[in-house]
């Protein structure tokens, strides 16, 4: 199959699939498929609720059409699958969306077709879990009638300075020839260049360790922050000083949520367990990062107690609910850990986030956002997410939301040093 013969489909139009479909749609004919008709209708109307793609960018992707009809994929011969791969409540990989998408693609698969996966998985998942589903529902044989590739997503939600075209793309294929074809296809839209991995399993492993490494490094800084806090030392000042060495990796302490860093390590942990290996360091890092919300809440309550505020019914304002700044994505937000622990300790908690529609309820945690904070009534304010709106408010604007002697806990170093009462 030559590049000019490819009829491309992108399956899954979320934070990963949509920017990719738009990039390709500016250069070639693309069918963007999503099982949600509401999502398809939104995009057909020129709007992207995730905020990742502008109306102008959607308009420029003249070759892109959206559909929720599976039959519309029958004309395609190359399928890029970009669906979520979360974990369940036991922190085990949840492949339900991935396998469902594989079943859908398998039902329209033809001889000579190519299926490329972008979803983050553990090494071996594409060929051991997805390919059998494709074979079962197509009646075709892998690497004889159809082929597969894997090119892990590297999307950074909310980061408009780094579009997918500017991020080097890892590519791979189930045969050397297919790997070349997959790599050439992505080079159409990835101006930063590509890296062709030796195999699909290598590409899968590369992706899952990218975020595992970052998770562990943040866990180290979080542990350092706990130690510095107990010693009365400003963690940010320590990091600034340490960063003067050329090879120091500058990271900030904080909450580790979202659908990548807080999830991907569990995929590698799961695979390691199936091999009889207990990955002690990865598990320790996860324990540290998942503990941070509890630490913040208990640290705040102790500080309030030191000011004589120990009665039930203390009012706390939490600024930010999304898992990261300047992004509406609430998936796996660890801000919920702070809210739930403060409530468990008797506090009344309001959550305000300008990136989340007022009244929105986070279904996983039963947290409803307020349309606006009530000025002057809070005993404490927690800056949990570094949205640009909070930075623009500054110390004076944020303190106006609390009582005269309210404590301000700045988790994200939004305020200059010395302008918050508590920091990690």
């Amino acid at each position: 199959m030559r590049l000019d013969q490819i009829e491309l489909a992108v399956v899954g139009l979320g934070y990963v699939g949509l920017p990719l479909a738009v990039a390709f749609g500016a250069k070639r004919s693309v069918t963007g498929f999503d099982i949600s008709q509401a999502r398809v209708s939104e995009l057909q109307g020129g709007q992207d609720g995730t905020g990742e793609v502008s109306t102008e960018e959607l308009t420029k992707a003249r070759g892109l059409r959206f559909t929720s009809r599976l039959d519309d994929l029958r004309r395609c011969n190359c399928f890029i699958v970009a669906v979520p791969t979360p974990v369940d409540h036991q922190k085990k990989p949840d492949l339900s969306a991935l396998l469902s998408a594989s079943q859908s693609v398998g039902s329209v698969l033809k001889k000579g077709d190519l299926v490329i996966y972008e979803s983050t998985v553990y090494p071996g998942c594409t060929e051991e879990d997805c390919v059998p589903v494709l074979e079962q529902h197509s009646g075709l044989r892998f690497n004889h009638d159809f082929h597969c590739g894997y090119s892990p997503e590297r999307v950074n939600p909310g980061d408009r300075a780094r579009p997918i075209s500017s991020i080097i793309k890892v590519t791979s294929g189930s045969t050397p020839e297919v790997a070349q074809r997959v790599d050439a296809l992505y080079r159409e839209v990835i101006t930063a260049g590509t890296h062709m991995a030796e195999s699909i399993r290598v590409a899968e492993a590369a992706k899952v360790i990218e975020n595992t490494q970052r998770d562990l490094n943040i866990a180290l800084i979080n542990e350092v922050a706990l130690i510095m806090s107990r010693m009365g030392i400003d963690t940010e000042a320590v990091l600034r000083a340490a960063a003067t060495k050329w090879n120091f990796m500058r990271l900030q302490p904080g909450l580790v949520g979202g659908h990548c860093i807080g999830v991907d390590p569990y995929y590698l942990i799961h695979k390691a367990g199936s091999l009889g290996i207990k990955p002690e360091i990865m598990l320790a890092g996860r324990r540290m990062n998942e503990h941070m919300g509890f630490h913040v809440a208990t640290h705040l309550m102790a500080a309030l107690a030191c000011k004589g505020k120990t009665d039930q019914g203390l009012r706390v304002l939490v600024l930010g609910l999304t898992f990261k700044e300047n992004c509406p994505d609430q998936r796996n937000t660890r801000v919920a850990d702070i809210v739930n622990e403060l409530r468990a300790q008797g506090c009344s908690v309001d959550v305000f986030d300008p990136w989340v529609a007022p009244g929105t309820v986070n279904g996983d945690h039963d947290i409803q956002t307020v349309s606006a904070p009530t000025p002057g009534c809070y005993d404490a304010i927690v800056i949990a997410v570094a949205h640009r709106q909070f930075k623009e408010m500054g110390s004076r604007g944020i303190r106006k939301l609390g009582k005269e002697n309210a404590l301000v806990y700045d988790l994200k170093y939004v305020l200059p040093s010395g302008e918050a009462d508590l920091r990690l």
Side-chain angles (χ1 to χ4, degrees):
M1 184 195 308
R2 302 193 312 268
L3 285 181
D4 60 0
Q5 295 175 321
I6 287 178
E7 291 292 336
L8 184 62
V10 176
V11 178
L13 299 174
Y15 284 88
V16 173
L18 180 63
L20 186 67
V22 167
F24 274 116
K27 294 181 176 292
R28 61 164 59 237
S29 173
V30 181
T31 300
F33 174 84
D34 200 283
I35 60 173
S36 169
Q37 179 56 48
R39 175 65 167 160
V40 168
S41 297
E42 173 188 68
L43 295 172
Q44 288 173 334
Q47 300 297 320
D48 170 29
T50 69
E52 292 301 299
V53 175
S54 68
T55 299
E56 180 183 3
E57 289 169 320
L58 284 170
T59 302
K60 287 182 178 179
R62 293 184 174 88
L64 176 59
R65 64 171 187 156
F66 301 106
T67 183
S68 61
R69 295 180 67 253
L70 190 57
D71 278 349
D72 289 339
L73 295 182
R74 295 189 184 279
R75 62 186 291 271
C76 301
N77 55 23
C78 181
F79 306 86
I80 297 179
V81 179
V83 296
T85 44
V87 292
D88 61 22
H89 293 297
Q90 283 76 46
K91 307 299 184 184
K92 301 294 184 182
D94 179 359
L95 299 178
S96 57
L98 186 65
L99 297 181
S100 178
S102 298
Q103 178 178 336
S104 296
V105 171
S107 69
V108 298
L109 205 60
K110 306 174 297 300
K111 282 190 176 183
D113 286 0
L114 172 62
V115 184
I116 305 168
Y117 289 91
E118 288 222 355
S119 306
T120 302
V121 292
Y122 45 76
C125 182
T126 298
E127 292 159 301
E128 296 166 10
D129 297 281
C130 299
V131 164
V133 176
L134 293 173
E135 289 183 320
Q136 177 187 352
H137 290 274
S138 68
L140 302 176
R141 287 185 295 163
F142 177 52
N143 275 346
H144 183 273
D145 299 317
F146 72 93
H147 295 86
C148 283
Y150 183 78
S151 181
E153 59 89 4
R154 281 178 167 170
V155 171
N156 189 24
D159 187 352
R160 302 292 290 171
R162 294 183 182 87
I164 61 169
S165 62
S166 68
I167 302 171
I168 294 173
K169 200 86 162 69
V170 173
T171 65
S172 65
S174 54
T175 69
E177 295 75 20
V178 170
Q180 292 283 352
R181 191 185 314 158
V182 171
D183 194 72
L185 176 63
Y186 279 104
R187 285 203 306 269
E188 287 187 351
V189 296
I190 306 298
T191 56
T194 58
H195 174 89
M196 193 189 311
E198 287 78 357
S199 68
I200 287 176
R201 292 165 71 91
V202 167
E204 291 169 326
K207 168 58 181 178
V208 79
I209 71 164
E210 288 174 18
N211 286 327
T212 299
Q213 181 189 66
R214 188 165 176 82
D215 187 47
L216 289 171
N217 283 321
I218 296 173
L220 170 63
I221 300 301
N222 276 337
E223 190 163 51
V224 167
L226 298 185
I227 297 169
M228 296 300 106
S229 176
R230 186 66 61 89
M231 298 176 68
I233 300 174
D234 185 345
T235 302
E236 186 185 22
V238 172
L239 295 175
R240 283 201 308 271
T244 59
K245 187 180 180 185
W246 71 91
N247 61 352
F248 182 79
M249 184 181 297
R250 177 68 187 269
L251 294 169
Q252 289 185 339
L255 307 175
V256 183
H259 49 91
C260 289
I261 300 176
V263 171
D264 295 354
Y266 287 116
Y267 275 73
L268 193 52
I269 288 168
H270 168 80
K271 188 64 176 181
S274 72
L275 301 172
I277 300 171
K278 186 177 181 180
E280 300 285 359
I281 295 175
M282 297 179 200
L283 288 167
R286 283 281 76 228
R287 285 193 297 270
M288 170 55 63
N289 286 339
E290 291 194 350
H291 176 77
M292 291 307 294
F294 173 81
H295 166 76
V296 168
T298 54
H299 187 198
L300 176 60
M301 293 304 293
L304 286 168
C306 287
K307 295 190 70 172
K309 297 186 176 185
T310 57
D311 56 312
Q312 293 289 304
L314 292 174
R315 296 197 64 180
V316 179
L317 173 64
V318 174
L319 295 177
L321 180 60
T322 60
F323 88 89
K324 66 174 295 185
E325 65 275 7
N326 306 323
C327 171
D329 195 349
Q330 299 178 54
R331 287 177 294 174
N332 194 36
T333 175
R334 306 321 303 179
V335 177
D337 298 339
I338 301 173
V339 175
N340 291 334
E341 183 59 30
L342 289 173
R343 287 175 174 172
Q345 297 196 36
C347 295
S348 172
V349 183
D350 284 350
V351 180
F352 172 68
D353 192 316
W355 286 82
V356 178
T360 297
V361 177
N362 183 297
D364 292 335
H365 302 285
D366 192 27
I367 296 172
Q368 182 171 338
T369 56
V370 299
S371 58
T374 305
C377 73
Y378 299 104
D379 298 285
I381 299 169
V382 179
I383 309 172
V385 186
H387 290 317
R388 62 171 178 264
Q389 291 89 340
F390 301 150
K391 293 181 178 180
E392 291 167 358
M393 291 172 67
S395 176
R396 181 175 299 181
I398 289 173
R399 286 195 177 275
K400 284 182 178 179
L401 299 174
K403 295 178 180 177
E404 184 177 349
N405 60 345
L407 287 177
V408 173
Y409 198 146
D410 185 5
L411 303 189
K412 301 295 293 183
Y413 302 162
V414 169
L415 304 179
S417 179
E419 293 189 13
D421 302 294
L422 299 169
R423 299 204 299 178
L424 282 176

